[in-house]
């Protein structure tokens, strides 16, 4: 959730940290702050509640020349979004400054003990106790890495932090404790960086090393070394990343969300290029770790994810059952651990995540690891934690996704799952060659089909103007369109703060229909598949109760035109691939409704791009 940046080197740390904070703001935007060592007797510290512009106006013309510093953008957990609760936090003597992401679970107990010793706290955060504990250890004669390790040993919880000591200002110490929040160390020419994610480092270096849970990085301008939290040295080579820094820029688009929606044809082209092959139709999956023998031993597939990735996993379940004919189930990753699922080495667990850092997903993967399951992850972020835990990674190849509302990684995840299903089906001999051919051809046509769906943008913009004043929405779908109904509702509530519910259309009569009147419109996904006539009946039931209906239909289907109040026609695709073109419609609808309502599309209230706390 929170964004972290640290720098030590020959450049001026202040402007560099401010620029990095802008790149990290999508991780949390309740407050921002930085601490710089300016060769005086104390840190220069600036903090401001609100977005980075608040901090920028506060430090304008005041940033001292400093060769080291740390910065933070916050998603509040403990304590309101105020200046006092903004990071960095310092110990009372001002010797140690820290930035922190995650939760210190036993902070109340630690705080009570420190208060009993006459200590004062300047904030309501859990973070501040860590600054006290690290400073205490330094005063007792420990060096910074040892002091951080001592402090961490007294805490419970999962978090990442970076600490800097006034008495040794060119040194940064970063730790990763548990699965909440990643730490990446970047290496440059006589300079090093520490950040919560790669996006902050891309303009400066591609040479990076990731911390695993339970590891510490001791970073100076000239070198970085690594050890465990027990102090055992680690050999951690720096690796070159190939991510494109330009891609993380908004360019001519008004919002990252709009840019990312429009990037889908190109992203899907990258995703299918070299993977979907004809004559004979098959999928070549680099990163797929299991041989045919092992694949034949799988008795079950369990797909897990959160939010949009969970919805993509639901679509993936259909693909795996239909194309690979393996029993498949899908679980919300946060719930997965609670149901004591029956798992073994013949279970293939597929985790889906844009960031690869979602804490609930990592916890679920740990459950699977302990049960000896085979693990595959679908991820968009090179080197992310999920990719290091799973046996193999199928990358989405969609480029960096910056907007909090996930769009292109929804279609990116679906195409990766579709490819996995085809690969599994072929390896097990359960995939009919004619079906394989249709699916490969369909997938290769996706960039064009999604490009065509984007041409609906002007019509959807007009539709959004007519519907933006409604406060409640229902989204309905059946079969493959049910996850799309959930995703349509999620997108709308995230970016426009409207109440929207996604339901399996068959469920409507079992309760939700009580909500229907002329003030509650329904977006009904009714593509021309074997379920279309059932959807038509549902739409009739809605109209009989004065509900307004926006029907999403397939090309050439005019049968609902007399019934629906509004209609959007999807471009032609294979039936199994309709979710891709329907996704574009859901995304554009949410975007234009939010725009019409004047919402902050890229940084919706209360949200953060990557969820690293439970
Ligand atoms: O990075 P992940 O894909 O694991 O993130 C999962 C969810 O947090 C994410 O999809 C979230 O629901 C988005 N805000 C949806 O737009």
């Amino acid at each position: 959730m929170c964004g972290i940046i640290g720098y030590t080197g020959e450049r001026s740390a202040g402007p560099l940290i401010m620029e990095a904070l802008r790149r990290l703001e999508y991780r949390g935007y309740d407050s921002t702050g930085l601490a710089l060592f300016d060769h005086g007797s104390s840190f220069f510290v600036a903090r401001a509640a609100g977005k980075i512009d608040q901090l920028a106006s506060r430090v304008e013309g005041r940033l001292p020349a400093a060769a080291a510093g740390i910065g933070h953008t916050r998603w509040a957990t403990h304590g309101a979004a105020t200046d006092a609760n903004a990071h960095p936090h310092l110990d009372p003597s001002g010797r140690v400054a820290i930035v922190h992401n995650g939760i210190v679970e036993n902070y109340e107990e630690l705080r009570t003990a420190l208060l009993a010793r006459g200590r004062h706290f300047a904030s309501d955060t859990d973070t501040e106790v860590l600054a006290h504990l690290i400073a205490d250890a330094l005063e007792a004669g420990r060096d910074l890495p040892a002091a951080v390790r001592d402090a961490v040993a007294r805490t419970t919880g999962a978090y990442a932090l970076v600490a800097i000591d006034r008495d040794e200002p060119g040194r940064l110490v970063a730790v990763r404790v548990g699965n909440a929040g990643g730490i990446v160390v970047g290496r440059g020419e006589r300079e090093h960086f520490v950040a919560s994610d790669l996006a902050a480092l891309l303009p400066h270096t591609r040479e990076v090393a990731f911390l695993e849970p339970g590891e510490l990085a001791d970073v100076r301008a000239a070198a970085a070394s690594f050890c465990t939290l027990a102090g055992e040295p680690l050999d951690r080579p720096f690796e070159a990343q190939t991510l494109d820094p330009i891609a993380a820029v908004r360019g001519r688009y008004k919002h990252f969300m709009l840019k990312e929606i429009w990037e889908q044809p190109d992203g899907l082209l990258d995703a299918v290029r070299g993977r979907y092959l004809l004559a004979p139709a098959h999928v070549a999956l680099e990163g797929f770790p299991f041989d045919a023998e092992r694949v034949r031993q799988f008795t079950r597939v369990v797909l897990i994810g959160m939010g949009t990735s969970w919805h993509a996993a639901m679509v993936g379940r259909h693909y795996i059952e239909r194309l690979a004919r393996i029993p498949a189930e899908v679980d919300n990753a946060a719930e997965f651990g609670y149901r004591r699922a029956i798992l073994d080495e013949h279970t293939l667990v597929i985790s889906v995540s844009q960031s690869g850092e979602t804490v609930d997903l990592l916890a679920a993967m740990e459950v699977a690891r302990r049960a000896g399951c085979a693990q595959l992850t679908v991820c968009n972020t090179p080197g992310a934690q999920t990719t290091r835990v799973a046996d193999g990674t199928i990358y989405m190849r969609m480029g960096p996704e910056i907007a909090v509302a996930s769009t292109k990684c929804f279609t990116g995840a679906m195409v990766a799952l579709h490819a996995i299903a085809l690969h599994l089906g072929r390896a097990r001999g359960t995939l009919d060659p004619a079906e394989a051919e249709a699916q490969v051809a369909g997938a290769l046509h996706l960039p064009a089909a999604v490009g065509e769906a984007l041409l609906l943008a002007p019509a959807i913009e007009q539709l959004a103007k007519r519907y933006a004043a409604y406060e409640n929405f229902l989204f309905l779908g059946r079969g493959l369109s049910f996850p799309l109904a959930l995703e349509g509702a999620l997108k709308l509530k995230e970016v426009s703060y409207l109440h929207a519910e996604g339901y399996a259309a068959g469920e409507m009569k079992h309760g939700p229909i009580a909500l229907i009147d002329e003030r509650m419109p329904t977006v009904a996904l009714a593509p021309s598949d074997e379920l279309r006539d059932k959807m038509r009946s549902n739409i009739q039931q809605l109209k009989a109760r004065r509900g307004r209906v926006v029907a999403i239909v397939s090309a050439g289907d005019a049968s609902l035109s007399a019934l629906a109040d509004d209609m959007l026609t999807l471009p032609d695709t294979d039936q199994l691939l309709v979710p891709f073109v329907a996704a574009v419609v859901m995304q554009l609808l949410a975007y234009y409704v939010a725009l019409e309502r004047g919402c902050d599309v890229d940084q919706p209230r209360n949200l953060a791009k990557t969820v690293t706390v439970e």
Side-chain angles (χ1 to χ4, degrees), residues 306-309 352-356 358 404-406 490-491 494 609 611:
M306 298 299 293
T308 291
S309 292
V352 182
S353 179
Q354 174 278 132
S355 63
T358 299
V404 167
S406 182
L490 175 64
K491 280 291 86 84
E494 274 188 302
K609 178 73 177 160
V611 177

Side-chain angles (χ1 to χ4, degrees), residues 445 448-454 456 553-555 569-573 578 581-582 585:
H445 178 61
V450 164
E452 218 182 308
L454 284 165
L456 290 167
V553 302
S554 296
T569 302
L570 300 172
D572 217 11
T573 53
V578 167
V581 286
V585 172

